[in-house]
Amino acid sequence: MTEAKAKATPGFSSWTATLAVIALWYAANISTIISNRWLLSSGPGFRQPVFLTLCHMSACVVMGFVASHIHPSLALKPVRSKQQFYKVCFLAVIFCATIVLGNASLKYLHVSFNQAIGSTTPFYTAVFSYLLQGVRENYLTYASLVPIMGGIAIASGGEIDFHLLGFLLCMAATAGRALKTVIQSILMTDPSEKLDPMSLLFYMSAVSVVLLTGMTVVLEPNALTQAAKLYAADSSFATYMAINAALAYFTNLLNFVVTKYTSALTLQVLGNAKGVVAAVVSVRVFGNTVTTQGILGYAITVAGVFAYSEAKRRGKAEPTRSPSVHGLMSAGEPQASPQVLIGR
């Protein structure tokens, strides 16, 4: 009996750690989304999504660097090869585009509808898993994608404050998020190029800062001036920005940690469950009107997401790799996990 308990303890500890990480990720992620929406629309009126993302990435670099010097176990791991560096840069480009597009969409869409659109991520994950890794799923998995996309079509028709540009920006961000998750999973599971969450976030954020600085100069040249004016009018604006940037750091770090503890698919399914919570919280906070059609569409999409995860669970007996698809990744890299998936 004692031996059996001893064997069961590691599994229990692992589950406890995983659940704790997921709970922290939910809290940080939802807080970041709500604060982004507040800053960009109903709050102080700081409508500069690229500069806001630059602040997020700068916080990730600074806080990551400080954390790496606190304890030897937190030290940053070096990039091992040019190929690994190029992958990190590619991931940073996708990450920048995803965050900027997502933040920009919050200027036009309520968080509840934004999260509903984000629920379509498994559709894009399936597409990119096939294109990049040659992973083909069973027919039930692909069948579940129909209600995922169909539900969003229904929800869009029931959105009172529907905005086409905001919708397109959010869809593009969702596709980018799925692509980032697949590549991120590869970078953290390939034994020859494995990076821990803190190191991957630090290097990716450093590249992102360079990219976003140029984007800010071109797209939002008056962002710094506007921030200075808002600070002059109310000094608490700096506190809001600092809290928002810190939340973004912990959200991004925990996003990598959750991927390490689970898989690309599990991350997306958990992300959609989180999306429901975020949608409910945002309606309570901002008081936006939600129609019956919108609720129905979102419910159909969420049902499709969980059907997708169940189909993945049943088909986890080795997904088929297409011999005709070489993908962008090397042949020695692992396929996306065939297990159930937990975003965002």
Side-chain angles (χ1 to χ4, degrees), residues 11 33 64 90 92 109 132 136 160 204 215 227-228 234 238 261 288 296 307 327 331:
I33 294 170
F90 183 47
L109 303 177
L132 298 182
R136 292 193 292 186
I160 294 177
M204 189 190 67
M215 290 176 64
D234 183 1
Y261 270 81
N288 55 288
L296 175 62

Side-chain angles (χ1 to χ4, degrees), residues 112-113 116-117 119-120 145-162 167 171 290-304:
S112 54
F113 188 48
I117 297 171
S119 296
T120 61
L145 299 177
V146 176
I148 289 177
M149 300 305 290
I152 285 303
I154 294 173
S156 299
E159 177 64 20
I160 294 177
D161 298 317
F162 180 83
F167 176 79
M171 285 295 282
V290 180
T291 65
T292 302
Q293 182 178 343
I295 295 174
L296 175 62
Y298 194 7
I300 292 173
T301 293
V302 172

